[in-house]
Amino acid sequence: GAGVSQTPSNKVTEKGKYVELRCDPISGHTALYWYRQSLGQGPEFLIYFQGTGAADDSGLPNDRFFAVRPEGSVSTLKIQRTERGDSAVYLCASSRDPGGGYTFGSGTRLTVV
Amino acid sequence: KQEVTQIPAALSVPEGENLVLNCSFTDSAIYNLQWFRQDPGKGLTSLLLIQSSQREQTSGRLNASLDKSSGRSTLYIAASQPGDSATYLCAVLSDMRFGAGTRLTVKP
């Protein structure tokens, strides 16, 4: 696609529920990144994919968070047993190759009530 | 671990002023750095990307420089306008680390 697409744009879920956030990167971009941003903060790194594999998942806060990119394009960030502290804007970016300039999607605002 | 710091956290200037936003990083072994703009409630828009072989990049009224030896990048905005009001973020891409941003307000 022409840009990075993230769906849904907003998600409200109850504490303890499971959520999936989707990212559709720019066609041909091999690198894909997930970040989380809280109000007034810079984006916090979560995970980086090169192709289908997670090249760096050191930013995932705990084992409730998991992400996949099975065909090297679309990625899904999965959060189990959501907690109120998971509320944030989840941002996805892609780049043509590792270390290349990022293009961000508009983000998914997750609210856990 | 790479630490990225942006000072000041907030800045308010009158329209027409030239201004400099600062970004510092602790590990100088980087190979590129990118500046972004973020409007309230919106995603990040790329402004300038500086590769390690470059010392600066320019786009319109914006100029970004990179000094790896001192661990610093600056974003220069000339003749600021109210429409420049936003949060400006720098990112060290090789480490996938962002600063917390500088919130800029340009008053008419």
Side-chain angles (χ1 to χ4, degrees), chain A residues 52-80:
Chain A
T52 60
D56 185 342
D57 65 358
S58 62
L60 294 177
N62 52 58
D63 61 6
R64 296 186 298 105
F65 288 74
F66 189 71
V68 295
R69 194 185 185 199
E71 298 178 355
S73 56
V74 172
S75 176
T76 305
L77 179 65
K78 308 181 181 193
I79 310 174
Q80 298 178 321

Side-chain angles (χ1 to χ4, degrees), chain A residues 17-31:
Chain A
K17 298 290 188 182
Y18 168 83
V19 296
E20 289 189 352
L21 311 180
R22 176 188 168 107
C23 174
D24 196 344
I26 291 174
S27 178
H29 279 197
T30 63

Side-chain angles (χ1 to χ4, degrees), chain B residues 16 28 63-64 72-73 75 81 83:
Chain B
S28 62
N63 174 276
R72 187 177 173 192
S73 177
L75 179 67
Q81 303 171 357

Side-chain angles (χ1 to χ4, degrees), chain A residues 32-53:
Chain A
L32 184 146
Y33 313 82
W34 283 100
Y35 286 83
R36 178 170 70 174
Q37 187 176 29
S38 300
L39 193 63
Q41 303 293 317
E44 173 194 8
F45 170 74
L46 295 177
I47 187 169
Y48 152 55
F49 286 91
Q50 177 54 37
T52 60

Side-chain angles (χ1 to χ4, degrees), chain A residues 33 35 37 40-45 47-48 56 58 91 98-107 109, chain B residues 31-32 34 36 38 41-46 49 51 89 91-101:
Chain A
Y33 313 82
Y35 286 83
Q37 187 176 29
Q41 303 293 317
E44 173 194 8
F45 170 74
I47 187 169
Y48 152 55
D56 185 342
S58 62
L91 296 166
Y102 289 6
T103 300
F104 274 90
S106 298
R109 181 176 301 278
Chain B
Y31 58 80
N32 52 18
Q34 191 167 4
F36 296 86
Q38 187 173 34
K42 303 294 185 181
L44 280 70
T45 300
S46 178
L49 170 67
Q51 305 283 4
L89 295 141
V92 174
L93 300 188
S94 44
D95 296 288
M96 298 175 286
R97 295 293 185 270
F98 278 77

